[in-house]
């Protein structure tokens, strides 16, 4: 049995999707992610994980078909690289990252990119870890968000121009969300219920196509929150974190 396994259409129904494996309230999200992944695999989307019931995986896709407002030619985009719990400090992050690097080189790609931030942030790859392995900042967005890249041929990707707006013409609490992360359906339920109970106007925008994702008015990696027209965060919100945001 191999240490790491890659999900394909013929095994995705049998394998757990690492990041939501213990909490029943996220089962709907797991099912949604499984369906989303199945569709993306024909576009070259890759999900590779440790062959254990743990949160140890990497997820990436060709930049041209990656649902993020990042543009460039012949790059791979990393959505998520996650090693959690007892599996930390065992070299899994490095092994998974280099499996992606090796695959990108075999495919003749120009490089690999990932969204990060100046300060360590939940739901984004750690900048220091990526820099340790040769990535560097190639573009930035206000509020500390950065695009990191490991280039093999000196070409570079960049944030789409629209992503740098960080503003919308809507004063309501607005959340753009994707269908990729298994935690999102439960977050949407909590937020919707809280806003309904407290008469808070809420605008939910489902990012359900590549075209919408590429043309978003902000940095985005499955989630983006606006309030009073201004971009706030890519952090997932539940009822508790929404209360904190509204109190600011």
């Amino acid at each position: 049995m191999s240490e790491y396994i890659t999900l394909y259409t013929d095994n995705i129904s049998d394998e757990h999707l690492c990041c939501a494996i213990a909490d029943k309230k996220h089962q709907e999200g797991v099912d949604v992610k499984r369906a989303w992944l199945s569709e993306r695999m024909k576009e070259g989307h890759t999900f590779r994980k440790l062959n254990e019931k743990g949160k140890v995986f990497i997820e990436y896709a060709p930049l041209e078909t990656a649902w993020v407002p990042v543009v460039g030619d012949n790059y791979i985009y990393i959505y998520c690289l996650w090693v959690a719990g007892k599996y930390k400090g065992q070299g899994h992050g490095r092994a998974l990252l280099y499996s992606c690097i090796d695959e990108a080189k075999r495919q003749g790609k120009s490089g690999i990119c990932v969204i990060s931030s100046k300060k360590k942030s939940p739901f984004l790859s750690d900048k220091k870890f990526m820099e340790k392995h040769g990535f560097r900042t190639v573009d930035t967005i206000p509020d500390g968000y950065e695009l990191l890249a490991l280039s093999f041929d000196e070409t570079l990707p960049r944030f789409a121009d629209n992503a740098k707006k960080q503003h919308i013409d809507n004063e309501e609490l607005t959340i753009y969300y994707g269908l990729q992360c298994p935690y999102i359906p439960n977050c949407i339920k909590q937020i919707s219920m809280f806003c309904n109970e407290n008469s808070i106007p809420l605008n939910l925008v489902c990012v359900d196509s590549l075209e919408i994702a590429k043309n978003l008015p902000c940095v985005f990696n499955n989630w983006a929150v606006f309030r009073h027209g201004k971009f706030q965060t890519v952090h997932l919100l539940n009822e508790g974190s929404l209360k904190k945001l509204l109190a600011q």
Side-chain angles (χ1 to χ4, degrees), residues 41 146 175 188:
M41 285 178 176
E146 301 184 342
I175 299 175
I188 293 297

Side-chain angles (χ1 to χ4, degrees), residues 27 49 63 67 74 85 93 108 130 138 175 212 222 228 239 242:
Q27 188 54 53
K49 68 187 186 72
L63 181 56
W67 289 31
N74 203 35
M130 303 307 290
V138 297
I175 299 175
I212 293 174
N222 283 310
H228 301 314
E239 181 179 330
L242 175 58

Side-chain angles (χ1 to χ4, degrees), residues 40-248:
R40 304 284 78 73
M41 285 178 176
K42 56 192 175 186
E43 302 166 357
H45 191 111
T46 297
F47 189 104
R48 185 172 295 119
K49 68 187 186 72
L50 183 67
N51 195 15
E52 299 282 349
K53 278 200 170 182
K55 299 176 183 179
V56 185
F57 68 96
I58 188 170
E59 189 170 355
Y60 56 88
L63 181 56
E64 291 83 355
T65 57
W67 289 31
V68 288
V70 177
V71 294
D73 295 323
N74 203 35
Y75 262 73
I76 291 287
Y77 175 79
I78 297 176
Y79 286 103
C80 192
L81 173 58
W82 196 358
V83 178
K86 66 180 182 180
Y87 299 100
K88 289 184 176 181
Q90 299 178 32
H92 292 303
R94 184 186 188 282
L96 288 168
L97 176 59
Y98 276 86
S99 72
C100 174
I101 292 172
D102 291 344
E103 183 174 339
K105 289 180 176 179
R106 285 196 301 271
Q107 294 179 7
K109 296 294 184 180
S110 294
I112 301 169
C113 62
V114 60
I115 294 176
S116 186
S117 56
K118 288 184 179 180
K119 296 181 180 179
K120 193 170 183 179
S121 175
F123 306 107
L124 292 177
S125 294
D126 180 46
K127 179 181 178 180
K128 289 184 178 179
F129 175 81
M130 303 307 290
E131 286 181 330
K132 180 180 177 180
H133 297 288
F135 286 72
R136 65 183 181 90
T137 301
V138 297
D139 203 358
T140 61
I141 280 182
D143 301 318
Y145 295 100
E146 301 184 342
L147 182 65
L148 309 182
L150 175 65
S151 178
F152 305 147
D153 62 8
E154 297 185 358
T155 63
L156 298 174
R158 60 178 176 82
F159 284 114
D161 291 340
N162 45 274
K164 296 187 176 184
K165 293 178 181 178
Q166 301 286 82
H167 187 276
I168 58 174
D169 295 325
N170 189 336
E171 290 292 309
E172 294 179 350
L173 175 66
T174 298
I175 299 175
Y176 294 89
Y177 68 96
L179 303 173
Q180 182 180 1
C181 176
Y183 292 111
I184 286 177
N186 183 260
C187 290
I188 293 297
K189 282 184 178 180
Q190 289 192 44
I191 291 168
S192 297
M193 184 177 297
F194 178 81
C195 288
N196 183 58
E197 291 174 350
N198 292 275
S199 301
I200 299 171
L202 173 64
N203 181 33
L204 295 173
V205 183
C206 181
V207 179
D208 57 3
S209 74
L210 176 64
E211 181 180 7
I212 293 174
K214 289 294 188 188
N215 288 283
L216 287 169
C218 58
V219 64
F220 179 83
N221 192 44
N222 283 310
W223 186 264
V225 181
F226 284 82
R227 187 180 181 215
H228 301 314
K230 185 178 183 301
F231 173 79
Q232 301 294 314
T233 184
V234 296
H235 296 185
L236 299 188
L237 299 178
N238 55 24
E239 181 179 330
S241 53
L242 175 58
K243 289 179 180 178
K244 291 180 181 178
L245 177 65
L246 296 176
Q248 294 177 1

